[in-house]
Amino acid sequence: MKGCVFDLDGVITDTAKFHFAAWSQLAKEKLNLELPASFETELKGVSRIDSLNRILEFGGVKTDYTTEQVQAMAAEKNGYYLKAIEKLTRDDILPGINDLIAQLKEHQILMALASASKNAPAILEKLGLMNAFDAIADPAKVAHGKPAPDIFLAGAAAINLDPSECVGVEDAVAGVQSIKDAGMVAVAVGDAHELAKADKVVPTTADFSYDLFEKTYEQAHK
C-alpha cells in the first residue's frame, strides 16, 4: 500500500445530515414535497445533480423541469448547505481520523480525497485538514459520478499512483462500487451486510488504523 484515497462525507466528517436538511428544505419550498427520513440513504455518496434527479423522480416530476431549472435548484440547495456547514470545526472530525492520518503520514502513505462534493476544499479548511492531504480530486473534471470509478481513479492519478497501489475508503454502497471498479482495495465503515462488496468493513471510523489498512491490502493482493 502506497496510497489511501478517501471519501469525505461519513468518513472524515459527517456532513450527510446537512446535505439532507438542505435537500429537504429545497424539496419543500420548490416542489411542495416532503422527503421521508429513509430517503437520505438514496442520496449518500451521489453527486448534486444526480441527487436532485432522484428527488424529482421520487416526486414524479422529473419531466417538468428543464436542465437550466435543475441546475438553478441544485445551486440553491448548495446555498442552504453552505450556510449550514459554516459552523463546522475540528471538533466535527470523526473519531479515529486524526490518529489514522498521523499513522499514514508516519508510514509515508500518500493521501488523496475523492469526494463527489465540490465543497470538499472548503470543508477541509474548516476541519483544519487542508494540509493533511496530498491531493484533492476535482469532481467537476470527471465524466461520471459514483458508482462509476472516475473520481477514485482521479484520486490515485493525483498522487501519481496506480490504483492497485491504493486503498479506497468509503461509507456508501455507490462509493464501494466505485473503489472496486477502479481496481483498488476497499475499506468501508458502516453496515457490514450493506457494504459486503468491500474487502473490509468496520462499524465505526474509530476502528480505522494503518495496520488494518495494510493487512487488508496485503490479504487482497495474496
Side-chain angles (χ1 to χ4, degrees):
M1 176 178 72
K2 293 181 181 175
C4 277
V5 186
F6 289 85
D7 176 42
L8 176 64
D9 288 346
V11 172
I12 306 292
T13 188
D14 186 11
T15 59
K17 60 190 177 206
F18 298 123
H19 275 297
F20 191 64
W23 282 126
S24 297
Q25 187 179 344
L26 182 93
K28 199 167 188 178
E29 289 178 6
K30 295 290 176 189
L31 310 169
N32 197 25
L33 189 64
E34 292 276 354
L35 293 180
S38 58
F39 199 75
E40 184 174 346
T41 57
E42 294 285 323
L43 310 177
K44 217 174 184 185
V46 179
S47 72
R48 201 180 301 163
I49 296 296
D50 288 345
S51 291
L52 182 50
N53 281 327
R54 289 186 184 193
I55 291 166
L56 295 173
E57 272 173 25
F58 173 75
V61 291
K62 191 163 190 286
T63 55
D64 296 359
Y65 296 92
T66 64
T67 305
E68 289 74 23
Q69 287 172 315
V70 168
Q71 295 280 2
M73 281 195 285
E76 200 164 332
K77 174 265 170 181
N78 197 45
Y80 299 150
Y81 173 72
L82 289 174
K83 201 171 278 186
I85 62 166
E86 278 298 318
K87 302 178 187 78
L88 277 180
T89 69
R90 287 174 187 270
D91 293 337
D92 293 295
I93 298 170
L94 286 170
I97 294 300
N98 282 321
D99 287 346
L100 173 67
I101 289 170
Q103 289 167 17
L104 292 171
K105 285 201 174 297
E106 200 180 307
H107 289 88
Q108 280 92 50
I109 303 297
L110 294 171
M111 285 179 274
L113 198 72
S115 170
S117 173
K118 294 183 176 78
N119 300 306
I123 292 168
L124 287 185
E125 281 286 0
K126 290 181 184 305
L127 297 173
L129 290 176
M130 198 59 170
N131 296 327
F133 288 86
D134 300 289
I136 300 173
D138 185 352
K141 290 182 180 167
V142 301
H144 305 286
K146 300 171 188 178
D150 303 31
I151 193 77
F152 278 96
L153 291 172
I159 49 176
N160 299 310
L161 292 177
D162 190 271
S164 66
E165 299 174 303
C166 301
V167 166
V169 193
E170 262 286 355
D171 71 316
V173 174
V176 169
Q177 188 67 55
S178 179
I179 292 170
K180 295 306 291 179
D181 287 350
M184 292 184 190
V185 173
V187 173
V189 58
D191 183 278
H193 178 71
E194 195 180 293
L195 301 165
K197 282 191 178 175
D199 296 281
K200 181 74 178 176
V201 185
V202 293
T204 152
T205 54
D207 298 310
F208 285 160
S209 69
Y210 167 79
D211 287 341
L212 176 91
F213 284 21
E214 177 61 26
K215 271 183 195 148
T216 304
Y217 180 85
E218 283 178 7
Q219 279 171 349
H221 282 277
K222 269 182 181 171

